[in-house]
Amino acid sequence: MKIRPLTPDLLAKAGSLVHHAFAPSRYELRLFDRLHEKNRPLHEWVCLHRQAVIACICFSRAFHGKKVCGLHLALLAVQPRQQGQGIGSELLRFALRQAAIATQPIYVLGDPAYFHKFGFVPCAAPICPLVRGNKHFLGLRNSIIEPITIGYEPEFYR
Ligand SMILES: CC(C)(COP(=O)(O)OP(=O)(O)OC[C@H]1O[C@@H](n2cnc3c(N)ncnc32)[C@H](O)[C@@H]1OP(=O)(O)O)[C@@H](O)C(=O)NCCC(=O)NCCS
């Protein structure tokens, strides 16, 4: 298995993976496609096995007002047949070591039981506008303690 930055030639395969990993939800594929259509600044890597994209991770900008204040772990997906084999953990650990990610506050909406292993902890602040009561809103290196609303790229808002 190789980990590579997501390049345009792998985009269709990565989109197909996102579709299958999150089915029947269509929100994540729409988000993934729209973030690329709008050329938003993203940090993305994929796991390749032979010619297939078997996992994908994508970080997008987090905002405090108009200022960038960190990154959102926007998507983490593993091909359903290959889940539970450590691939998601390996890709996430790899991404968290990369220079563009390693010093930034990172936020994710995700299962606390899964993300706790990587250092993410529940955040009371900032406020995530995508869920009620910050349910499953987690942070790594978060230093914001005021109840400001954290911003996402416009494509996140349904
Ligand atoms: C969540 C996901 C990325 C994890 O990747 P993975 O390769 O299957 O996970 P790993 O093999 O690295 O880790 C397996 C461990 O995580 C746990 N786990 C896997 N998915 C989990 C989830 N959604 N919630 C909580 N725990 C989870 C497993 O029980 C296992 O625990 P153990 O190590 O104590 O036995 C993958 O299952 C997936 O693509 N799910 C669908 C999309 C999704 O929900 N993405 C996350 C939100 S962005």
Side-chain angles (χ1 to χ4, degrees), residues 17-18 20-22 28 55-56 73-80 82-90 93 108-115 117-118:
L17 159 70
V18 169
H20 287 109
F22 287 95
E28 291 79 8
C56 176
L73 199 181
L75 292 166
L76 173 62
V78 175
Q79 195 65 256
Q82 272 135 332
Q83 289 177 7
Q85 298 173 25
I87 296 168
S89 300
E90 188 176 336
R93 286 205 174 91
V108 65
L109 271 174
D111 190 315
Y114 185 73
F115 286 99
K117 288 181 270 189
F118 309 96

Side-chain angles (χ1 to χ4, degrees), residues 5 26 31 53 69 77 98 110 116 120 123 127 133 152 157-158:
R26 295 178 179 178
L31 171 64
V53 172
C69 65
Q98 302 311 298
H116 176 74
F120 287 86
C123 283
I127 307 297
Y152 286 76
Y157 303 94
R158 289 170 197 251

Side-chain angles (χ1 to χ4, degrees), residues 35-84:
L35 287 170
H36 286 100
E37 281 162 20
K38 296 286 183 186
N39 285 318
R40 301 294 180 201
L42 301 170
H43 302 283
E44 300 175 287
W45 292 271
V46 291
C47 288
L48 290 174
H49 181 59
R50 300 190 179 124
Q51 302 297 324
V53 172
I54 58 167
C56 176
I57 192 164
C58 171
F59 296 83
S60 62
R61 294 178 299 180
F63 297 93
H64 180 179
K66 291 189 174 172
K67 201 174 149 224
V68 175
C69 65
L71 295 167
H72 293 293
L73 199 181
L75 292 166
L76 173 62
V78 175
Q79 195 65 256
R81 282 190 308 276
Q82 272 135 332
Q83 289 177 7

Side-chain angles (χ1 to χ4, degrees), residues 6-22:
L6 175 56
T7 45
D9 55 310
L10 297 171
L11 205 52
K13 285 182 181 176
S16 169
L17 159 70
V18 169
H19 167 69
H20 287 109
F22 287 95

